[in-house]
Amino acid sequence: MELVPRVLGGDRRALARLISFIEDDGPAARAALAALYPHTGRAHIVGVTGAPGTGKSTLVNELAKALRAQSRSVGIVAVDPTSPFTGGALLGDRVRMRDLAGDPGIFIRSMATRGSLGGLAQTTGDVVKVLDAAGFEVVLVETVGVGQAEVDVARTAHTTVVVEAPGLGDEVQALKAGLLEIADVLVVNKADRPGAGQTARALEVTLDLGRNNRGEGDWRPPILKTVALDGTGVEEVLGAVADHRAYLRESGLWDRREQERVRVDLVRMLERELVGRLVERVGEDALEGWVEQIVARKVDVYTAVQTILKADPAGERAMSS
Amino acid sequence: MSERLRILIAKPGLDGHDRGAKVVARALRDAGMEVIYTGLRQTPEMIVEAALQEDVDAIGLSILSGAHMTLIPRVIEGLREAGLDQVRVFVGGIIPDEDVAALEELGVAAIFGPGTSTQVITDVVRRHLTGG
Ligand SMILES: Nc1nc2c(ncn2[C@@H]2O[C@H](COP(=O)(O)OP(=O)(O)O)[C@@H](O)[C@H]2O)c(=O)[nH]1
Ligand SMILES: [Mg+2]
C-alpha cells in the first residue's frame, strides 16, 4: 500500500486519507497499520476530556500553541458524538483552533464516534498510532467525557487531563461522570468566572478522600486553574503534563500502561477475528436456525453456544484454551 | 470514497454573521452527514488546509460579503494545488446572476440563493456526492 511510505515521508494528504480508511475500518487500513506499527511508540499521547462546554477545545488550542513555542509538533484528534438517530455528526472543535491554521507542525482531525460497538477506543487508538508514526511528538485527543466509550478513549492516553469549569451546575461534573479516577491532571478552566476557587476546593477534597487516579502509583493529580480564552495558566498545565510523563517513565508505569494497552488491544482483536471466523463458518442460515429455536424456547442460548462450539473443532480449540 | 459523507462548512470573508451556515450545517448533520464546522473569518488557505486534513468530500462556503468573485476562485485554485480536485464546492449566499455562470464555469457544483430550503440543499449535495 503506497500510502504508508507517503505518511512516513510527511505527506499530509496521505495521512488524511489513511485516517479515513481507518475510520471506515477496511482491510487496507489494517495492512497499513501493520506496516506503520514499528514506527509508533514515540509520541506522548495526552487525553483531554470533560463535560461539554468546559473549554476543552479552547484549551487544546492553547496547549498546542505552547507546545509549538517549544518546537514540538502536535497532532490533534477531536472526537464528537454521532447522532444515534441519523448517523450524522456536527464536529465544531476546529472553531476554537483557528490560531493553529497554517502551521505545518500541526495536524488536526475531527472524528465522529460513529456506531462502532465499543470500537471507539480502538479506532481512536489507531488514528493516534498513525499520527505517532507520522512523527508528531505530542498527540492531543479531545473527547467529551460523558459515556463509558469516551472514558475508554481517555484510558488509552499516557496522560489524561480532565477539564472542569465553574457554573455548570451544583455538582462537579467530572465527579458525576466518573472522570476523576482517570485524571492525571485536573484543570479548572474559566478561572475568570466566579466559583472557580470553589470548584477547585471541591476537587481537592475529593482527592483527599482517596478517589485518586487509576489505583496505581503515588501520583496525585495537581489541580490547576486556567483561563483558556487568554492562555492564563496554560504553561502550568503543560508543565504538569511533562511532569507526569517523567513520573511515568521513572516509576516504570509507562511500560506497564503500554503493556496493559497492548493486552487490551490484542484480546479485542482476537475476539473480533475469532467471532468473525466462527460466524462465517457456522453460516448465517444455521445461525438464524439457532435464533428461531432459542426464541421458541426449544433450546437456551447457553446450550446453543456450547453446541455450536463443539460442532466447530477449530472454534472450540480456540475458545476453550 | 468513504462510507460516510464528510463536508466542511466554512465562512470565508470578513462579515461576522454565520446563522445561515449553522442552519445548513445542522441540516446536513440531520441528513446523516459528518459536518466539520470551522466558523467565521476563514481565509481560502485555511479552508483548503482544513479540507485536506479532514479528508472531506465537499466544501460548503457561505458568503454574504459580496467578495465571492475573489474568495471562491482562490479556494478552488487552492484545492487544485493541494491535489484536492475531487472535492466538490457548494456556495450559499447572494450571488448576482451574472456571476453564477462564471462560478459554475470555475467548477462550483451548485449555488444556493437566499431562502433555499435546507431540504433542497441536502438533496442537491447528496445527489452530487453519491452520483445518485
Ligand atoms: N469565560 C471563559 N470562557 C471560556 C474559557 N475557555 C473557553 N471558554 C468559552 O467556553 C465555550 C466553550 O468552549 P469550548 O472550548 O468549545 O468547550 P468544549 O466543548 O469543552 O470543547 C466557548 O464559548 C469558549 O469561548 C475561559 O477560560 N473563560
Ligand atoms: Mg470541543
Side-chain angles (χ1 to χ4, degrees):
Chain A
M1 173 142 205
E2 59 152 314
L3 276 182
V4 169
R6 284 170 61 200
V7 168
L8 290 173
D11 180 335
R12 293 159 77 83
R13 169 124 178 79
L15 175 58
R17 290 299 294 145
L18 183 51
I19 293 175
S20 296
F21 287 144
I22 290 170
E23 288 198 271
D24 293 340
D25 195 24
R30 256 164 272 169
L33 281 166
L36 284 176
Y37 190 70
H39 303 275
T40 63
R42 286 174 298 187
H44 185 192
I45 305 163
V46 180
V48 178
T49 191
T54 48
K56 297 178 296 296
S57 300
T58 315
L59 184 67
V60 164
N61 179 60
E62 290 301 317
L63 288 171
K65 275 189 339 198
L67 285 161
R68 290 302 293 143
Q70 301 173 1
S71 305
R72 300 218 277 157
S73 55
V74 185
I76 297 172
V77 184
V79 186
D80 277 306
T82 293
S83 156
F85 304 109
T86 66
L90 189 48
L91 312 171
D93 295 313
R94 290 188 88 99
V95 173
R96 315 275 171 225
M97 303 182 191
R98 286 184 88 247
D99 297 345
L100 309 178
D103 183 343
I106 301 243
F107 190 97
I108 308 171
R109 183 63 175 238
S110 311
M111 240 182 88
T113 54
R114 298 199 180 174
S116 46
L117 273 168
L120 177 63
Q122 165 130 25
T123 307
T124 314
D126 286 346
V127 170
V128 168
K129 273 187 204 120
V130 175
L131 289 168
D132 179 356
F136 291 94
E137 296 167 82
V138 180
V139 180
L140 302 171
V141 184
E142 174 186 341
T143 54
V144 184
V146 285
Q148 186 58 45
E150 284 83 359
V151 172
D152 285 346
V153 171
R155 264 182 219 285
T156 64
H158 295 118
T159 302
T160 300
V161 178
V162 171
V163 185
E164 188 62 61
L168 290 173
D170 305 337
E171 267 180 288
V172 177
Q173 300 290 315
L175 264 182
K176 208 165 66 181
L179 289 179
L180 215 56
E181 288 88 340
I182 58 163
D184 300 306
V185 177
L186 281 161
V187 170
V188 178
N189 187 40
K190 306 196 187 183
D192 54 322
R193 295 244 179 112
Q198 203 179 322
T199 303
R201 275 191 300 279
L203 289 172
E204 198 79 58
V205 168
T206 316
L207 287 183
D208 286 340
L209 290 174
R211 301 271 303 269
N212 80 358
N213 67 320
R214 310 201 201 196
E216 52 177 21
D218 51 7
W219 173 267
R220 180 181 165 109
I223 300 169
L224 304 167
K225 286 190 213 146
T226 59
V227 183
L229 271 185
D230 65 9
T232 305
V234 169
E235 283 298 332
E236 285 77 3
V237 175
L238 213 53
V241 167
D243 287 349
H244 184 253
R245 182 177 195 274
Y247 164 79
L248 289 177
R249 288 281 195 199
E250 282 155 23
S251 63
L253 273 176
W254 182 278
D255 294 332
R256 257 178 49 199
R257 282 192 183 184
E258 179 83 10
Q259 278 172 12
E260 180 59 27
R261 197 170 39 240
V262 168
R263 179 174 295 116
V264 169
D265 246 20
L266 183 62
V267 170
R268 194 158 40 202
M269 291 296 282
L270 279 171
E271 276 171 8
R272 242 173 64 164
E273 278 291 315
L274 279 178
V275 171
R277 284 181 201 184
L278 192 65
V279 166
E280 202 172 293
R281 271 203 304 260
V282 171
E284 287 298 330
D285 290 348
L287 219 56
E288 217 31 62
W290 280 107
V291 170
E292 273 166 32
Q293 287 196 58
I294 296 168
V295 169
R297 302 295 188 278
K298 286 184 185 141
V299 65
D300 63 275
V301 69
Y302 313 98
T303 310
V305 166
Q306 294 308 324
T307 315
I308 290 170
L309 287 180
K310 279 218 180 69
D312 189 292
E316 175 165 48
R317 254 203 322 278
M319 301 284 179
S320 64
S321 57
Chain B
M1 179 176 292
S2 161
E3 291 167 19
R4 207 72 58 100
L5 294 177
R6 283 170 70 85
I7 179 161
L8 186 88
I9 298 291
K11 181 95 188 59
L14 297 174
D15 59 303
H17 179 67
D18 67 347
R19 264 220 358 244
K22 280 185 174 156
V23 168
V24 171
R26 268 185 230 115
L28 293 168
R29 173 201 57 193
D30 293 342
M33 299 180 203
E34 289 182 357
V35 182
I36 295 99
Y37 186 67
T38 59
L40 293 167
R41 286 183 283 280
Q42 299 281 307
T43 65
E45 293 73 27
M46 288 162 86
I47 292 168
V48 170
E49 187 192 7
L52 185 142
Q53 294 178 0
E54 300 289 356
D55 191 29
V56 293
D57 304 295
I59 297 177
L61 299 172
S62 162
I63 301 193
L64 297 169
S65 61
H68 51 273
M69 289 314 283
T70 53
L71 292 172
I72 297 170
R74 278 174 61 201
V75 171
I76 290 176
E77 203 174 299
L79 288 174
R80 225 159 258 157
E81 278 166 16
L84 300 173
D85 315 66
Q86 84 294 349
V87 174
R88 301 299 183 98
V89 177
F90 299 88
V91 174
I94 307 160
I95 311 288
D97 288 344
E98 62 265 31
D99 294 339
V100 168
L103 289 175
E104 283 173 349
E105 184 72 21
L106 269 176
V108 171
I111 296 171
F112 305 109
T116 311
S117 77
T118 53
Q119 183 65 52
V120 167
I121 293 175
T122 53
D123 285 351
V124 170
V125 168
R126 190 193 305 282
R127 190 147 18 88
H128 272 279
L129 296 184
T130 57

